[in-house]
Amino acid sequence: MVDKAEKKLQDEAIESTSEKRKLRKLEDDEEYDYITTPPDGGYGWVVLIACFMINLIVDGFLYAFGAFSKDLKRVYNCQEWATSLIISLACGFYLLSAPVASALCNRWGCRPIGIIGSIIASLAVALSIFSPNIYIMWLLFGCIGGIGMGLIYLPSIIMVGYYFEDKRAIATGIVTAGTGIGSITFGPLSRVLFNSFGWKYALVTLAAILLLCVICAALMVPLKPIKKRRILQPTEINDDNVFAPTTTSPLLDQTTDSKVAIAQTSVHQSNPNIHEEVAEELIRKRKGSIISTKSRQSIKLDDAARPLYKEDVLYQGDPRDLPEYQSQPDIPTYIQETTKVPEAKDKSPMKAFWDVFLSMTNINVLNDKKMIIICLANVCSMIGYYAPYLYIVKFAELERSIPEKLAVYLLSVIGFANTFTRFASGWITKIPHMSPLLVNNIGLTVAGIATLLIPFCHTYIHLIIYCIIWGGFIAFHVSLSPVIVCEIVGLERYSSALGLTLMFRGITSLSTPPVMGAIQDMTASFNIPFMISGISFLASALMHFCLMWIQYQEKKSKKNIESVKSQKALEV
């Protein structure tokens, strides 16, 4: 009997110890988050060079198509629209694959997806030389090749945001400069290959260069998550800790006034030097999102390693300009606050994929009229975007009798101007009164006017001047669009807005080049396609100027409301 009693006591003690351990583990899980802290250097520079090379190879290859499209047109004995459809499909699927590529990277990581994308793109381009007709070329080079290049490109953008925070603006400038340098090199390079080895061996060589992206993708090593003490939950906030720098504004069971008050306290306490307008902007965004649709539960180890759960990982501007960044005392706390894992009742192996895919294809963002304007403006800008890359060399050769050896360098001139502007755009927006939206609008306006004047460019010097102007000013639009989107919708909805913007761009890219090619077939001239492009740039600029006016009216209305409130407060 005694033995049984002792055994029972021992069993109870073991169960009690086990329960205590489980309870302690549960408390630890609730008390700590796992986060990935960007090194902002170190091995990050190796990743940065890899991402730079991916941009150089992929974008350089796509933008060089205008240098050798006449060879494919001659081989398949087809019209201009049919040749243009090859690159139209490639660029369209390249952009449309962004939500899928992002979701795949979140589920399986950037390294394997980048490697697979490199192999798919390289094989598609290499096998396209066996196409018996233009239709198979559309499928292999256009559709499959475009998807593969999209799977390469997205990981390179994600990894920059994954490895860099404070230095992200510099890192992004370096990586995106790869696009300009690719335009400089691939145009003349492809022309030399096609002239020296013929179109088949030239395409195989370019496919081999695309395969080099496998090495670049292999360098994309994921960061190891670290433990960080969890920020207090809203339910844990009381009078004693309201002023703690790591407390967040309540998300549930609080009135709007208390939300604004606590948010204001959090903003000023965490960063005493923050500007009043930044604080007001953050308070407005918090007030506009009273109930968060994303989980505030602790961040698990597996989820911390998934890059797309970071709200700013795709943001290509300077995170230090974001109100969310300025409201936090340090980078780890900022990362902790902007890493959001959507809740799910039923856990699925594909949850990480669907979380990102559904977020980036969320059309509810279009309920905001400003977002509709952005999407339509991007449609207009993409109508004209590919015309100079596709037709400037042919225009110079066929309509201005400029030798092929000289004409092909016009793409390089565009690349030089583009590279310089991409580096400079970040600094230009720091000049007082030069907001990203205003700089973007100036760029579109100048690019549009310059393109309208193409019919008056009669000499090689005139075309060089045009390429410098267009290549430089259109780069403002390309590099600043993500920053503008984030300013309009806020960081929490940024991935959804960016995904939709890329989808609108992709759909436009699928349809516009062949239409422009058909117009050239009917008129036997590139003047009308260039004029349509110029008008589309100006239309996009006009829509962006409307966006500026809406923002001005909103700020003016907000100031009026605040002044009325302050007057009433004084009267009381």
Side-chain angles (χ1 to χ4, degrees):
M1 293 291 291
V2 175
D3 291 341
K4 288 184 179 180
E6 288 180 356
K7 188 176 180 181
K8 186 177 181 182
L9 288 172
Q10 287 176 358
D11 292 340
E12 289 177 355
I14 291 170
E15 289 178 5
S16 177
T17 304
S18 177
E19 288 177 1
K20 286 180 180 179
R21 285 177 181 172
K22 288 181 181 178
L23 183 61
R24 192 178 297 114
K25 185 178 182 302
L26 183 61
E27 289 173 351
D28 287 344
D29 288 343
E30 292 177 350
E31 188 177 355
Y32 288 92
D33 282 331
Y34 283 94
I35 61 170
T36 52
T37 305
D40 269 315
Y43 186 75
W45 297 118
V46 176
V47 175
L48 186 71
I49 293 171
C51 296
F52 167 83
M53 290 304 300
I54 287 173
N55 276 254
L56 188 153
I57 293 171
V58 174
D59 286 343
F61 174 75
L62 289 173
Y63 291 150
F65 184 82
F68 59 82
S69 62
K70 68 175 185 179
D71 297 77
L72 300 180
K73 181 180 179 181
R74 184 179 64 253
V75 168
Y76 291 106
N77 192 26
C78 58
Q79 293 183 308
E80 188 65 44
W81 72 267
T83 311
S84 297
L85 187 56
I86 299 172
I87 195 63
S88 172
L89 290 168
C91 292
F93 281 101
Y94 168 75
L95 293 169
L96 286 171
S97 64
V100 176
S102 300
L104 290 171
C105 288
N106 200 53
R107 174 62 181 85
W108 283 287
C110 292
R111 182 196 284 178
I113 300 305
I115 291 173
I116 292 170
S118 303
I119 295 171
I120 290 173
S122 179
L123 283 177
V125 173
L127 292 175
S128 68
I129 67 172
F130 300 109
S131 302
N133 51 55
I134 194 70
Y135 308 111
I136 305 300
M137 179 65 80
W138 290 345
L139 175 64
L140 291 174
F141 190 117
C143 299
I144 300 176
I147 291 171
M149 283 179 266
L151 295 179
I152 307 170
Y153 176 74
L154 248 295
S156 72
I157 299 301
I158 293 169
M159 291 305 288
V160 174
Y162 196 51
Y163 264 86
F164 291 88
E165 203 71 59
D166 271 350
K167 298 177 182 177
R168 188 182 302 180
I170 297 172
T172 300
I174 293 171
V175 169
T176 55
T179 298
I181 296 174
S183 301
I184 294 169
T185 55
F186 268 75
L189 173 63
S190 60
R191 195 62 262 162
V192 168
L193 291 174
F194 273 75
N195 288 340
S196 302
F197 305 110
W199 75 277
K200 287 188 176 182
Y201 288 110
L203 273 184
V204 170
T205 304
L206 291 174
I209 295 174
L210 278 174
L211 193 61
L212 293 176
C213 292
V214 169
I215 300 172
C216 300
L219 297 172
M220 296 179 180
V221 180
L223 295 172
K224 293 182 179 179
I226 60 171
K227 257 188 176 184
K228 184 182 184 300
R229 188 174 292 277
R230 179 153 171 71
I231 293 173
L232 293 177
Q233 292 292 320
T235 54
E236 298 171 330
I237 296 176
N238 54 44
D239 294 339
D240 296 328
N241 60 26
V242 161
F243 298 98
T246 57
T247 57
T248 57
S249 59
L251 296 174
L252 301 169
D253 301 326
Q254 295 288 336
T255 63
T256 301
D257 293 337
S258 65
K259 289 176 188 298
V260 177
I262 293 178
Q264 190 170 9
T265 301
S266 173
V267 168
H268 289 285
Q269 183 69 19
S270 61
N271 190 346
N273 298 322
I274 191 170
H275 296 296
E276 287 290 334
E277 57 187 42
V278 175
E280 290 174 2
E281 178 68 12
L282 181 58
I283 292 164
R284 179 184 67 78
K285 288 181 179 179
R286 287 182 175 179
K287 184 176 177 181
S289 182
I290 295 174
I291 300 177
S292 176
T293 59
K294 297 185 179 179
S295 173
R296 302 297 296 181
Q297 295 178 356
S298 58
I299 304 167
K300 307 301 182 185
L301 179 63
D302 290 342
D303 291 331
R306 303 189 189 281
L308 272 297
Y309 283 144
K310 284 182 64 180
E311 290 181 326
D312 75 335
V313 75
L314 291 172
Y315 183 66
Q316 297 179 27
D318 191 343
R320 293 175 296 183
D321 294 334
L322 297 172
E324 289 83 357
Y325 183 98
Q326 295 174 338
S327 68
Q328 300 300 334
D330 51 47
I331 291 177
T333 305
Y334 163 72
I335 294 170
Q336 194 173 23
E337 282 294 88
T338 54
T339 300
K340 307 287 180 65
V341 183
E343 294 181 357
K345 294 180 181 179
D346 300 323
K347 289 188 177 181
S348 165
M350 294 296 291
K351 177 183 180 297
F353 174 90
W354 291 112
D355 285 344
V356 173
F357 180 78
L358 294 176
S359 173
M360 293 194 73
T361 55
N362 181 14
I363 61 172
N364 291 330
V365 181
L366 295 177
N367 292 332
D368 186 345
K369 62 182 179 182
K370 291 182 290 186
M371 193 60 213
I372 295 175
I373 293 174
I374 286 178
C375 289
L376 293 177
N378 274 272
V379 167
C380 288
S381 63
M382 292 307 290
I383 287 173
Y385 183 72
Y386 291 107
Y389 285 110
L390 289 176
Y391 304 134
I392 192 66
V393 174
K394 292 180 181 178
F395 176 79
E397 289 183 44
L398 301 177
E399 299 190 29
R400 296 296 181 262
S401 301
I402 294 170
E404 179 188 272
K405 290 182 179 179
L406 292 177
V408 74
Y409 283 103
L410 292 173
L411 291 174
S412 298
V413 174
I414 292 175
F416 273 114
N418 202 280
T419 302
F420 174 78
T421 302
R422 284 173 185 264
F423 271 118
S425 60
W427 282 286
I428 292 174
T429 57
K430 301 291 184 182
I431 298 173
H433 308 297
M434 295 295 287
S435 67
L437 188 53
L438 178 59
V439 175
N440 169 82
N441 296 355
I442 293 171
L444 282 170
T445 302
V446 175
I449 294 172
T451 306
L452 280 175
L453 296 176
I454 271 282
F456 302 100
C457 295
H458 297 290
T459 66
Y460 188 56
I461 298 298
H462 290 163
L463 290 176
I464 288 176
I465 293 171
Y466 165 75
C467 289
I468 292 172
I469 295 172
W470 185 83
F473 280 90
I474 200 63
F476 286 126
H477 172 62
V478 176
S479 59
L480 294 176
S481 284
V483 179
I484 294 168
V485 170
C486 189
E487 284 185 352
I488 296 299
V489 303
L491 188 60
E492 188 170 356
R493 297 192 298 164
Y494 173 67
S495 61
S496 300
L498 182 66
L500 285 176
T501 303
L502 292 175
M503 287 172 65
F504 273 89
R505 285 185 174 187
I507 293 169
T508 310
S509 299
L510 282 174
S511 55
T512 301
V515 172
M516 295 290 197
I519 293 172
Q520 194 277 335
D521 289 330
M522 290 186 291
T523 61
S525 173
F526 290 102
N527 284 339
I528 293 179
F530 274 114
M531 292 179 70
I532 292 173
S533 298
I535 293 170
S536 70
F537 290 134
L538 293 175
S540 180
L542 180 62
M543 291 182 186
H544 280 97
F545 275 116
C546 290
L547 203 59
M548 285 185 68
W549 183 80
I550 292 172
Q551 282 188 312
Y552 171 76
Q553 292 297 320
E554 287 180 349
K555 289 180 180 178
K556 186 178 178 181
S557 176
K558 183 181 176 182
K559 286 182 179 179
N560 291 337
I561 293 171
E562 288 175 353
S563 63
V564 170
K565 285 183 178 180
S566 60
Q567 287 177 0
K568 287 183 178 180
L570 290 173
E571 290 175 1
V572 173

